[in-house]
Structures are given as structure tokens and as C-alpha cells.
Amino acid sequence: MLNLSVQNIVLKYPKKTVLRGLSADFAHSQIHALIGENGAGKSSLIKIICGNILPTGGKILLNNIDAEIKSPADAIKQGIVCVHQRPLLADGITIMENLMLGAAKFDKEKAKALLKVWLPGVSGRTLVKNCSGDMRFFTSLIGALLKNPEILILDEPSALLDAEQRDFLFEKLKVFAADGMNIIVITHFMDEAEKYGDTVTYLEEGLVSDPKPDFFVRKGASGAEGVADICNKSERPAEEDFTLSFHHLTSLPFDKPAIRDFSFTARGGQITLILGQAEDGRESLEDAICGMSSAKQSGKFEIKTGEKEFSFTIKNGNFTRRLLEKSPFIFGIIPSNKTFRASNPNLTIFQLLSSFDGRKTSIEDKRQQALSLIKKADVNISLNEKAECLSGGMLQRLILEREIGKNPDILILCEPVQGLDSISSKKLCDRIRTIADQGKIVLVLSSSEFPQELCDKIYRLGKKNLREAEA
């Protein structure tokens, strides 16, 4: 059994200090909740503990003995294993084959037993590309458990699980803790931290601190309680002559649930929410309406205003991002996978903020625009640093500012508040409401976290249909 201590951990980059002499203790046989605003240093601390990055100063102690952790392999040898927020799995092979990757000695029988516990009814022969987000998480968790960790770290598991799955997960984690395991869970939800955690460690600006009072506003992952008190539904009438519609949209991807004969309309001056789970086809719908699907498709896409109209008949992969860019309207699109579809960890911040902008401007103009976006997003980072240095919330804010900076007529947001703390969520929702009130079309796709109180129109996605619900 391992007790973990971090003492005076410092992490500095050329133009910022992320961790400022942070010290904390995590005892075995307990579940420890690590909580804080986006950019507080949670992910950086975990990366140091797991050997993904080296600290500028400080030390890690295991049972009061200095631990040399300079790589992920060192961490695993010491008994420290992490399940990342976006599980690192190979899409083209099966669940069981993924579990075998990197294993010096693979215990197939143990893997089968864990599959029955964590993914009941799911075959180990299932291709990962056909797995939903929760299935990917549990596959990654099984892979971690096969390494027999003494310290298990989970990075925001709530982002991929519904309420029932979270209860199931934490009940199992309690059993592990009772058997001596040291468990650290990163979360943005104070109610979750207090409900499941034996200890709660709050980080602010790279140090352990007391939580801000307004951090308690948002209480859980099932909704953004408190957000609607700040940014309510608009009282303005909708822009009836500015509409975006999909008629009889069908998309039949080979690796995701199909959608068939879906029709919906979003209006200017309103926030339209499409609510549903991945297994109901939300990801397939996202791919289709954002021009990112190569699946067999059919339907009609239509935008109308009082002055102009754009319509397009959708057929088998012809509805693309390039088509949207060539339309008479400006689109701002933020996919749910911000890390790879809206960015890339290897891009510099300058590339992240300028390479997705098709406007022909000078390098200096692009540089000044990028600096302006960084300031608006309230992110402390330089243009030459890599996107991998950003926390999830910081990346999300930068991408939002980049897309808003285009002055879009139509803004499509997929899981916009996922992974954001309560304060960042409130600011984001306020910004979205302001954009809609300017007469823009705002279309949101979300599993559960986006506040329904903020929306003017809501569609609910079922396994076989899309229907309008009461907003």
C-alpha cells in the first residue's frame, strides 16, 4: 500500500508559472478528489506524478521515500497508473487487442473477468471505433487495472459517464480503496467531490487553497445549476426570417449509430439545443451537420434569410466543411473533440489560432489577432508554446474565441461546457446568450451538461427519432 506526497512542486514555463510550490498528501485506502478551476494546475500535477512531464522543482514521496519518476514507465513500475480523460486507444483494433498493447505479461482470463464487471454484455472482439465514450473509458480503466496499480488516477471520468454509471464507478472504487488502493479523481463538480471523496483538495493558481464561494454554484454533471440565474432565456423574438434547417437527414456510418430521416430547424436570435447520448446517434449527427462525415448520406440542407437563400441536396459524402466555407454565410464550428478535430497537441498556439482562419492576411496581422484572442480568452500562454501545454478548459476558451472571432452568422457548438468548471461554464453560457441575442443562429449538441433553461428550443434525440421538446 502506497501513501503519496508531493512537496513544494514547481512547474515553470518561459512566460508563466503553473505550479508554485504545491504540497499535498494522498493516503492509501482512500478516494481523493482533486478539484479546481480550469488552469488551476490539476492536470499539470497529475502529469508530473505520472511521469509525463518533469517538474521545475520539488519532489514526490512514496511512503516517505523519494521517488524517481522521470517517465510514464517509471510511474507504472512504482505502481502509479492513470486513466486519461480522452482514453488513448487504437480505433482500428478490438477491445481485447487494446488491452494487450504494451503488456509484458497479459492475463487474458483476468481481462475477461474485468470485462464482465465493467462492460457486461460487451464482447472483447468489439472494435474500439464502434465504442461509445463510456465504453472507451471503461476499456481504458480495465487496461489500468490489469497493471495492478497501487495508486489509480482518474482524469475527469464524469465527462464520459451518465449519473448511473458514475454511481456504479464510485461504488467499485470504494471497494478498491477499502482493499488499500490509493485513488485520486480529478473532477469539476463539488457535489461529486463531497459525495464520493474521503478528502477534497482544491487547487487555485498552482497552490492548494480554499474554494471560491461561487465555485459551489454548479452542483453536478447532470446540469449547470446556477447558470440560468445569470444568463436566462432571451425575451427577444426570434429572427423568423433567418433559419437553418436540415430536412430528412439520414447518415449511415459504419462505425457509429445511424441516424434516419431527422429534420430540425434553428432560428436566428435563439439557442437551439439537440440533447442526446452517443449511443442514440449524437456523434453521428455532429459529424453529419458539421460536414465531417464520409458516410452514406441523404437529405437537404437549407439556410434562409429575408435577402438570400442557400440550399443543398446531401448525397454520400458531398456535404463537407469546404462546402460550408463556400456558402454565403460564415460558420463557427466547435466539435466535441477539441483536442484533435479543432486543434492538435503539437500545434503552437499561433498555429492553433491562425491556421483555421481562411482569411488572407499578413503574418503580423495574424500574430496580433492571435494575441487578441489569447487576451479575450484570459489564458496565460505565449504564441510559441504548444497546445499540449493548455488545460482542457483553456483550450476550449481559445477555440471559442477563435470561432467567435470570425464573426459567424451561425455558431455550432458540440459539448461546449464539457470539462469546464462552474465559473468558466457561467462565462461561456453568458457569451453564447449574447451571441444569440445579436440575431445569430446558435445550435448546441450536448449529452446532458448544457443548461436547458438557457435554450429557446430543445430537440431530444432518441434511438430512432429526433423530436421537439418543451424548452
Side-chain angles (χ1 to χ4, degrees), residues 81-135:
V81 182
C82 181
V83 179
H84 297 277
Q85 183 180 4
R86 285 199 173 275
L88 304 176
L89 301 172
D91 281 353
I93 60 178
T94 67
I95 290 175
M96 189 63 74
E97 288 167 339
N98 265 278
L99 297 176
M100 294 171 65
L101 287 177
K105 294 182 180 179
F106 181 65
D107 188 337
K108 190 171 184 179
E109 293 307 313
K110 183 177 180 181
K112 287 181 178 179
L114 288 170
L115 271 170
K116 288 181 180 179
V117 172
W118 296 102
L119 288 171
V122 177
S123 169
R125 296 189 295 272
T126 302
L127 290 173
V128 166
K129 66 182 180 182
N130 295 330
C131 292
S132 59
D134 59 325
M135 292 170 65

Coordinates of all heavy atoms in Angstrom, one line a residue, residues 81-135:
V81 N -0.8 4.4 -12.0 CA -1.4 4.3 -13.3 C -2.5 5.3 -13.4 O -3.3 5.5 -12.5 CB -2.0 2.9 -13.5 CG1 -2.6 2.7 -14.9 CG2 -0.9 1.8 -13.3
C82 N -2.6 5.9 -14.6 CA -3.6 7.0 -14.9 C -4.6 6.6 -16.0 O -4.2 6.0 -17.0 CB -2.9 8.3 -15.2 SG -4.1 9.7 -15.5
V83 N -5.9 6.9 -15.8 CA -6.8 6.8 -16.9 C -7.1 8.2 -17.4 O -7.7 9.0 -16.6 CB -8.1 6.1 -16.4 CG1 -9.2 6.0 -17.5 CG2 -7.8 4.7 -15.9
H84 N -6.8 8.5 -18.6 CA -6.9 9.8 -19.1 C -8.3 10.2 -19.5 O -9.1 9.3 -19.7 CB -6.0 10.0 -20.3 CG -4.5 9.8 -20.0 ND1 -3.7 10.8 -19.5 CD2 -3.7 8.7 -20.1 CE1 -2.5 10.4 -19.3 NE2 -2.5 9.1 -19.7
Q85 N -8.6 11.5 -19.5 CA -9.9 12.0 -19.9 C -10.3 11.5 -21.3 O -11.5 11.1 -21.5 CB -10.0 13.5 -19.8 CG -11.4 14.1 -20.1 CD -11.4 15.6 -20.0 OE1 -10.4 16.2 -19.8 NE2 -12.6 16.1 -20.1
R86 N -9.4 11.6 -22.2 CA -9.6 11.1 -23.6 C -8.8 9.8 -23.7 O -7.6 9.9 -23.9 CB -9.3 12.1 -24.6 CG -10.3 13.2 -24.8 CD -10.2 13.9 -26.1 NE -11.2 14.8 -26.3 CZ -12.4 14.5 -26.7 NH1 -12.7 13.3 -27.1 NH2 -13.4 15.4 -26.9
P87 N -9.4 8.6 -23.4 CA -8.6 7.4 -23.4 C -7.8 7.2 -24.7 O -8.2 7.4 -25.8 CB -9.7 6.3 -23.3 CG -10.9 7.0 -22.7 CD -10.8 8.4 -23.2
L88 N -6.5 6.8 -24.5 CA -5.6 6.6 -25.5 C -5.7 5.2 -26.1 O -5.0 4.3 -25.6 CB -4.2 6.9 -25.1 CG -4.0 8.3 -24.4 CD1 -2.6 8.4 -23.9 CD2 -4.3 9.4 -25.5
L89 N -6.6 5.0 -27.0 CA -6.9 3.6 -27.5 C -6.7 3.6 -29.0 O -6.9 4.7 -29.7 CB -8.3 3.2 -27.2 CG -8.7 3.2 -25.7 CD1 -10.2 2.9 -25.5 CD2 -7.9 2.1 -25.0
A90 N -6.4 2.5 -29.6 CA -6.3 2.3 -31.0 C -7.6 1.9 -31.6 O -8.2 0.9 -31.3 CB -5.3 1.2 -31.4
D91 N -8.2 2.8 -32.5 CA -9.5 2.6 -33.0 C -9.7 1.4 -33.9 O -10.7 0.7 -34.0 CB -10.0 3.8 -33.8 CG -10.4 5.0 -32.9 OD1 -10.5 4.7 -31.7 OD2 -10.7 6.1 -33.4
G92 N -8.6 1.0 -34.6 CA -8.7 0.0 -35.7 C -8.6 -1.4 -35.2 O -8.7 -2.4 -36.0
I93 N -8.4 -1.6 -33.9 CA -8.4 -3.0 -33.3 C -9.4 -3.2 -32.2 O -10.1 -2.2 -31.9 CB -7.0 -3.3 -32.8 CG1 -6.6 -2.3 -31.7 CG2 -5.9 -3.2 -33.9 CD1 -5.2 -2.6 -31.1
T94 N -9.5 -4.4 -31.7 CA -10.6 -4.7 -30.8 C -10.3 -4.2 -29.4 O -9.2 -3.8 -29.1 CB -10.8 -6.2 -30.7 OG1 -9.7 -6.9 -30.2 CG2 -11.1 -6.8 -32.1
I95 N -11.3 -4.3 -28.5 CA -11.1 -4.0 -27.1 C -10.0 -4.9 -26.5 O -9.1 -4.4 -25.8 CB -12.4 -4.2 -26.3 CG1 -13.4 -3.1 -26.7 CG2 -12.2 -4.2 -24.8 CD1 -14.8 -3.3 -26.1
M96 N -10.1 -6.2 -26.7 CA -9.1 -7.1 -26.1 C -7.7 -6.9 -26.7 O -6.7 -6.9 -25.9 CB -9.6 -8.6 -26.4 CG -8.7 -9.6 -25.7 SD -8.9 -9.5 -23.9 CE -10.6 -10.2 -23.6
E97 N -7.6 -6.6 -27.9 CA -6.3 -6.3 -28.5 C -5.7 -5.0 -27.9 O -4.5 -4.9 -27.7 CB -6.4 -6.2 -30.0 CG -6.6 -7.5 -30.7 CD -7.0 -7.4 -32.2 OE1 -7.5 -6.3 -32.6 OE2 -6.9 -8.4 -32.9
N98 N -6.6 -4.0 -27.7 CA -6.1 -2.8 -27.0 C -5.6 -3.1 -25.6 O -4.6 -2.6 -25.2 CB -7.2 -1.8 -26.9 CG -7.2 -0.8 -28.0 OD1 -6.5 0.2 -28.0 ND2 -8.0 -1.0 -29.1
L99 N -6.2 -4.0 -24.9 CA -5.8 -4.4 -23.6 C -4.5 -5.1 -23.6 O -3.7 -5.0 -22.6 CB -6.9 -5.2 -22.9 CG -8.2 -4.6 -22.6 CD1 -9.2 -5.6 -22.0 CD2 -8.1 -3.4 -21.8
M100 N -4.2 -5.7 -24.7 CA -2.9 -6.5 -24.8 C -1.7 -5.6 -25.1 O -0.6 -5.9 -24.8 CB -3.0 -7.5 -25.9 CG -4.0 -8.7 -25.6 SD -4.3 -9.8 -27.0 CE -2.7 -10.5 -27.2
L101 N -2.0 -4.4 -25.7 CA -0.9 -3.5 -26.1 C 0.0 -3.1 -24.9 O -0.5 -2.7 -23.9 CB -1.5 -2.2 -26.7 CG -2.1 -2.4 -28.1 CD1 -2.7 -1.1 -28.6 CD2 -1.1 -2.9 -29.1
G102 N 1.2 -3.2 -25.1 CA 2.2 -2.8 -24.1 C 2.3 -3.7 -22.9 O 3.0 -3.3 -21.9
A103 N 1.6 -4.8 -22.9 CA 1.6 -5.7 -21.7 C 2.7 -6.6 -21.8 O 2.9 -7.4 -22.7 CB 0.3 -6.4 -21.6
A104 N 3.6 -6.6 -20.8 CA 4.8 -7.6 -20.8 C 4.2 -9.0 -20.5 O 4.6 -9.9 -21.2 CB 5.7 -7.2 -19.6
K105 N 3.3 -9.1 -19.6 CA 2.6 -10.4 -19.4 C 1.1 -10.1 -19.3 O 0.6 -9.4 -18.4 CB 3.1 -11.0 -18.1 CG 4.5 -11.4 -18.0 CD 4.9 -12.1 -16.7 CE 6.4 -12.5 -16.7 NZ 6.7 -13.1 -15.4
F106 N 0.4 -10.6 -20.3 CA -1.0 -10.4 -20.4 C -1.8 -11.5 -19.8 O -1.7 -12.7 -20.3 CB -1.4 -10.2 -21.9 CG -2.9 -9.9 -22.1 CD1 -3.4 -8.7 -21.6 CD2 -3.7 -10.8 -22.8 CE1 -4.8 -8.4 -21.8 CE2 -5.0 -10.5 -23.0 CZ -5.6 -9.3 -22.5
D107 N -2.7 -11.2 -18.9 CA -3.5 -12.2 -18.2 C -4.9 -12.1 -18.9 O -5.8 -11.3 -18.5 CB -3.6 -11.8 -16.7 CG -4.3 -12.9 -15.9 OD1 -5.1 -13.7 -16.5 OD2 -4.1 -13.0 -14.7
K108 N -5.1 -13.0 -19.9 CA -6.3 -12.9 -20.6 C -7.5 -13.3 -19.8 O -8.6 -12.7 -20.0 CB -6.2 -13.9 -21.8 CG -7.4 -13.8 -22.8 CD -7.1 -14.6 -24.1 CE -8.2 -14.4 -25.1 NZ -8.0 -15.1 -26.3
E109 N -7.4 -14.2 -18.9 CA -8.5 -14.6 -18.0 C -9.0 -13.4 -17.1 O -10.1 -13.2 -16.9 CB -8.2 -15.8 -17.2 CG -8.0 -17.1 -18.1 CD -9.2 -17.4 -19.0 OE1 -10.3 -17.3 -18.5 OE2 -9.0 -17.6 -20.2
K110 N -8.0 -12.7 -16.6 CA -8.3 -11.6 -15.7 C -8.9 -10.5 -16.6 O -9.9 -9.8 -16.1 CB -7.0 -11.0 -15.1 CG -7.3 -9.9 -14.1 CD -6.0 -9.4 -13.5 CE -6.3 -8.2 -12.5 NZ -5.1 -7.7 -11.8
A111 N -8.5 -10.3 -17.8 CA -9.1 -9.3 -18.7 C -10.5 -9.7 -19.0 O -11.4 -8.8 -18.9 CB -8.3 -9.2 -20.0
K112 N -10.8 -10.9 -19.2 CA -12.2 -11.4 -19.5 C -13.1 -11.1 -18.2 O -14.2 -10.7 -18.3 CB -12.2 -12.8 -19.8 CG -11.7 -13.2 -21.2 CD -11.8 -14.7 -21.5 CE -11.3 -15.0 -22.9 NZ -11.4 -16.5 -23.2
A113 N -12.5 -11.4 -17.0 CA -13.3 -11.2 -15.8 C -13.6 -9.7 -15.6 O -14.7 -9.4 -15.2 CB -12.5 -11.8 -14.6
L114 N -12.6 -8.9 -15.9 CA -12.8 -7.4 -15.7 C -13.8 -6.9 -16.7 O -14.6 -6.0 -16.4 CB -11.5 -6.7 -15.8 CG -10.5 -6.8 -14.7 CD1 -9.2 -6.3 -15.0 CD2 -11.1 -6.2 -13.4
L115 N -13.8 -7.5 -17.9 CA -14.8 -7.1 -19.0 C -16.2 -7.4 -18.5 O -17.1 -6.6 -18.7 CB -14.5 -7.8 -20.3 CG -13.5 -7.1 -21.3 CD1 -13.2 -8.1 -22.4 CD2 -14.2 -5.9 -21.8
K116 N -16.4 -8.5 -17.8 CA -17.7 -8.9 -17.4 C -18.2 -7.9 -16.3 O -19.4 -7.6 -16.2 CB -17.7 -10.3 -16.8 CG -17.6 -11.4 -17.9 CD -17.6 -12.8 -17.3 CE -17.5 -13.8 -18.3 NZ -17.5 -15.2 -17.7
V117 N -17.3 -7.4 -15.5 CA -17.6 -6.4 -14.4 C -17.9 -5.1 -15.0 O -19.0 -4.4 -14.7 CB -16.5 -6.4 -13.4 CG1 -16.8 -5.2 -12.4 CG2 -16.3 -7.7 -12.7
W118 N -17.0 -4.5 -15.8 CA -17.1 -3.1 -16.2 C -17.9 -2.9 -17.5 O -18.4 -1.8 -17.8 CB -15.7 -2.6 -16.4 CG -15.0 -2.5 -15.1 CD1 -14.0 -3.4 -14.6 CD2 -15.2 -1.6 -14.0 NE1 -13.6 -3.0 -13.4 CE2 -14.3 -1.9 -13.0 CE3 -16.0 -0.4 -13.8 CZ2 -14.2 -1.2 -11.8 CZ3 -15.9 0.3 -12.7 CH2 -15.1 -0.1 -11.6
L119 N -17.9 -3.9 -18.4 CA -18.6 -3.8 -19.7 C -19.4 -5.1 -19.9 O -19.2 -5.9 -20.8 CB -17.6 -3.7 -20.8 CG -16.9 -2.3 -20.9 CD1 -15.8 -2.4 -22.0 CD2 -17.9 -1.2 -21.3
P120 N -20.4 -5.3 -19.0 CA -21.2 -6.5 -19.1 C -22.0 -6.6 -20.5 O -22.5 -5.6 -20.9 CB -22.2 -6.4 -17.9 CG -22.2 -4.9 -17.6 CD -20.9 -4.4 -17.9
G121 N -21.9 -7.7 -21.1 CA -22.6 -7.9 -22.4 C -21.8 -7.4 -23.6 O -22.3 -7.5 -24.7
V122 N -20.7 -6.8 -23.4 CA -19.8 -6.3 -24.5 C -18.7 -7.3 -24.8 O -18.0 -7.8 -23.9 CB -19.2 -5.0 -24.1 CG1 -18.3 -4.5 -25.3 CG2 -20.3 -3.9 -23.9
S123 N -18.6 -7.7 -26.0 CA -17.6 -8.7 -26.4 C -16.2 -8.0 -26.5 O -16.1 -6.9 -27.0 CB -18.0 -9.3 -27.8 OG -16.9 -10.0 -28.3
G124 N -15.2 -8.7 -26.1 CA -13.8 -8.2 -26.2 C -13.4 -8.1 -27.7 O -12.4 -7.5 -28.0
R125 N -14.2 -8.7 -28.6 CA -13.9 -8.7 -30.0 C -14.5 -7.4 -30.7 O -14.3 -7.2 -31.9 CB -14.4 -9.9 -30.7 CG -13.7 -11.2 -30.3 CD -14.1 -12.4 -31.2 NE -15.5 -12.7 -31.1 CZ -16.0 -13.5 -30.1 NH1 -15.2 -14.1 -29.3 NH2 -17.3 -13.7 -30.1
T126 N -15.2 -6.6 -29.9 CA -15.7 -5.3 -30.4 C -14.6 -4.4 -30.8 O -13.7 -4.1 -30.1 CB -16.6 -4.6 -29.4 OG1 -17.7 -5.5 -29.0 CG2 -17.3 -3.4 -29.9
L127 N -14.7 -3.8 -32.0 CA -13.7 -2.8 -32.5 C -13.9 -1.5 -31.7 O -15.1 -1.1 -31.5 CB -13.9 -2.5 -34.0 CG -13.5 -3.6 -35.0 CD1 -13.9 -3.3 -36.4 CD2 -12.0 -3.9 -34.9
V128 N -12.8 -1.0 -31.3 CA -12.9 0.3 -30.4 C -13.6 1.4 -31.2 O -14.2 2.2 -30.6 CB -11.5 0.6 -30.0 CG1 -11.5 2.1 -29.4 CG2 -11.0 -0.3 -28.9
K129 N -13.4 1.4 -32.5 CA -14.0 2.5 -33.3 C -15.5 2.5 -33.2 O -16.2 3.5 -33.5 CB -13.6 2.5 -34.8 CG -14.0 1.2 -35.5 CD -13.5 1.2 -36.9 CE -13.9 0.0 -37.7 NZ -13.3 0.0 -39.1
N130 N -16.1 1.3 -32.8 CA -17.5 1.2 -32.7 C -18.0 1.4 -31.2 O -19.2 1.3 -30.9 CB -18.0 -0.2 -33.1 CG -17.8 -0.4 -34.6 OD1 -17.8 0.5 -35.4 ND2 -17.5 -1.7 -35.0
C131 N -17.0 1.8 -30.4 CA -17.4 2.0 -28.9 C -17.8 3.5 -28.7 O -17.2 4.4 -29.2 CB -16.2 1.7 -28.1 SG -15.7 -0.1 -28.1
S132 N -18.8 3.6 -27.8 CA -19.1 5.0 -27.3 C -18.1 5.5 -26.3 O -17.2 4.8 -25.9 CB -20.5 4.9 -26.7 OG -20.5 4.0 -25.6
G133 N -18.3 6.7 -25.9 CA -17.3 7.4 -25.0 C -17.2 6.6 -23.7 O -16.1 6.4 -23.1
D134 N -18.3 6.2 -23.1 CA -18.3 5.5 -21.8 C -17.6 4.1 -22.0 O -16.9 3.7 -21.1 CB -19.7 5.3 -21.3 CG -20.6 4.5 -22.2 OD1 -20.5 4.7 -23.4 OD2 -21.5 3.8 -21.7
M135 N -17.8 3.4 -23.1 CA -17.2 2.1 -23.3 C -15.7 2.3 -23.5 O -14.9 1.5 -23.0 CB -17.7 1.5 -24.6 CG -19.2 1.0 -24.5 SD -19.9 0.5 -26.1 CE -18.9 -0.9 -26.5

